[in-house]
Amino acid sequence: AMEKSLLEAKQEAEAANLSKSKFLAAVSHDLLQPLNAARLFTSALEEKQLSSEIQQLVTSASRSLNDVESLLRTLVDISKLDAGAVQPDKARFCLADLLNNLGSEYQQVAASKGLTLSWVTTQAWVETDQHLLARILRNFLANGLRYTPAGGRLLLGCRRQGASLLIQVWDTGLGIPENRLDDIFDEFQRVQVEPANGKDQGLGLGLAIVDKMARMLGHPIKVASRLGRGSMFSVQVPLAEGVERAQPSN
Ligand code: ADP
């Protein structure tokens, strides 16, 4: 009887946790709508000829809205993952476009923060969910940019390892103390309270999301870091069998 009630308690706790995740997913998703309405107004204002004082206020308002949006998207992401509402959709594709797109997109963000980003590309074919992989890499790149002081460098690279490909994001940033390398993947765990660049808007959920996505895909994630020197985050994706021989990686 004792064991049964423990089991029941566990099931109840799991059910409560699931409804919490579903609630959070619904609320954060619903909040995006009025937010987007507000953004329509700020972008309309940005196109008007306004005094520089008002222009500055509009720009600040629109930046804050961007911050709120990215926080809400993070909450939507994590709660959907917890609610089991994300299903990986694996397919074979060539990595070249994905790496080139990420590289050129983040190169611009990097330049605006006084950082340089370079990337290598490959014709290798992999088998994974392209959108989830892109989200993992975006998290790595965004963190690299946040935790690297101006003047630093980032590199998006890849390296073949047996039947898989390691996609790596290197930075010359703040680094992470060795005893924190595991727990930064847990929810709400943060090492630096102030990032190297700008205001701090992190929730400490980015790597928890990465970890959940990578587990779902079955792709190992690794981190290596030296305090004050920099960090390397990687995700290991399987090469698409057969195709890789026809299209060898660089
Ligand atoms: P957030 O960036 O919102 O705090 P994350 O889960 O993405 O949350 O990262 C957790 C913590 O790991 C960060 O707060 C930061 O301390 C550390 N971290 C992540 N990436 C890097 C990096 N490239 N360099 C240094 N520290 C990092």
Side-chain angles (χ1 to χ4, degrees), residues 141-157:
L141 287 163
N143 278 346
L145 293 176
R146 290 169 75 193
Y147 300 109
T148 303
R153 282 174 291 117
L154 269 88
L155 173 69
L156 168 63

Side-chain angles (χ1 to χ4, degrees), residues 46-242:
E46 274 169 334
E47 277 161 26
K48 297 237 185 292
Q49 297 289 321
L50 300 166
S51 71
S52 70
E53 190 194 356
I54 295 189
Q55 213 146 38
Q56 268 180 3
L57 293 173
V58 173
T59 307
S60 306
S62 123
R63 275 209 201 105
S64 298
L65 292 177
N66 286 344
D67 292 344
V68 174
E69 177 176 3
S70 91
L71 293 177
L72 283 176
R73 290 203 182 281
T74 303
L75 290 176
V76 170
D77 277 357
I78 199 147
S79 47
K80 276 192 175 168
L81 283 165
D82 286 344
V86 180
Q87 291 303 322
D89 181 15
K90 289 189 184 177
R92 296 170 168 206
F93 61 94
C94 175
L95 264 182
D97 284 349
L98 177 63
L99 294 181
N100 282 327
N101 291 341
L102 287 173
S104 38
E105 181 188 329
Y106 280 88
Q107 190 173 46
Q108 294 181 7
V109 191
S112 74
K113 297 181 168 195
L115 302 164
T116 45
L117 168 73
S118 38
W119 73 95
V120 297
T121 190
T122 169
Q123 296 300 319
W125 283 62
V126 292
E127 184 157 8
T128 182
D129 182 312
Q130 185 158 358
H131 297 291
L132 293 181
L133 176 63
R135 277 152 81 182
I136 291 172
L137 294 173
R138 280 170 185 282
N139 265 299
F140 288 166
L141 287 163
N143 278 346
L145 293 176
R146 290 169 75 193
Y147 300 109
T148 303
R153 282 174 291 117
L154 269 88
L155 173 69
L156 168 63
C158 53
R159 197 161 69 77
R160 190 162 170 172
Q161 193 178 68
S164 44
L165 200 72
L166 278 182
I167 311 176
Q168 305 169 312
V169 175
W170 299 81
D171 68 58
T172 60
L174 304 178
I176 300 156
E178 208 179 330
N179 64 346
R180 300 297 307 278
L181 286 178
D182 285 330
D183 69 20
I184 50 170
F185 290 95
D186 295 340
E187 291 172 19
F188 306 116
Q189 290 292 330
R190 316 196 61 211
V191 181
Q192 298 89 10
V193 176
E194 289 304 317
N197 281 301
K199 263 195 303 160
D200 193 12
Q201 293 297 340
L203 290 173
L205 288 176
L207 290 177
I209 290 173
V210 163
D211 189 60
K212 286 174 203 275
M213 288 178 177
R215 278 173 204 270
M216 184 178 281
L217 292 166
H219 299 345
I221 296 284
K222 290 215 175 70
V223 53
S225 189
R226 279 182 67 191
L227 205 55
R229 303 290 289 276
S231 310
M232 186 282 297
F233 285 84
S234 73
V235 54
Q236 184 183 332
V237 292
L239 288 161
E241 262 172 57

